[in-house]
Amino acid sequence: QVQLVESGGGLVQPRGSLRLSCAASGIIFRLATMAWYRQAPGKQRELVAQITSGATTNYADSVKGRFTISRDNAKNTAYLQMNSLKPEDTAIYYCHLGWGQNYRYWGQGTQVTVSS
């Protein structure tokens, strides 16, 4: 079965940095579109960043210029480098994998808290 395991979340100060990782197994990773979503308390889950199998990226306006999504196909892992973090970035961050048109998978989420 397909598994997505997030890591790297935690407590960080405003203006600090954090790198999230999403390790995938059970799928041909290089053919997948990877994305990071987040959900803050009382809010809808929103797309933060996406990277296709062709390495095309897109970002939410709120994180553009601060966050970078990347992938290492040799390690079956996607990353989200988060810099210049703000309290508004506090949320549970979820890894998402899309493979073709019919397969979509979610990680269990990792908490990111930005607070002084």
Side-chain angles (χ1 to χ4, degrees):
Q1 58 269 325
V2 176
Q3 283 191 323
L4 302 177
V5 180
E6 300 105 328
S7 62
L11 176 64
V12 64
Q13 293 184 1
R15 299 157 59 193
S17 296
L18 214 55
R19 189 177 81 156
L20 306 183
S21 298
C22 174
S25 61
I27 199 162
I28 304 176
F29 179 81
R30 65 181 176 86
L31 301 181
T33 292
M34 302 299 299
W36 289 95
Y37 288 74
R38 68 186 181 188
Q39 188 165 24
K43 291 190 174 183
Q44 301 276 13
R45 187 173 298 187
E46 64 172 342
L47 177 66
V48 176
Q50 181 185 71
I51 184 166
T52 70
S53 61
T56 299
T57 60
N58 65 79
Y59 299 90
D61 288 342
S62 59
V63 308
K64 194 170 185 178
R66 300 187 297 121
F67 291 11
T68 302
I69 188 170
S70 62
R71 65 193 298 156
D72 186 340
N73 289 339
K75 296 182 177 180
N76 284 7
T77 301
Y79 304 93
L80 185 67
Q81 178 67 47
M82 304 184 293
N83 299 327
S84 302
L85 282 161
K86 305 175 181 179
E88 307 93 89
D89 296 317
T90 296
I92 301 174
Y93 284 71
Y94 296 90
C95 181
H96 176 271
L97 183 152
W99 195 86
Q101 300 181 65
N102 300 318
Y103 298 95
R104 303 172 69 85
Y105 303 93
W106 292 94
Q108 293 186 347
T110 184
Q111 177 71 47
V112 172
T113 302
V114 184
S115 177
S116 59

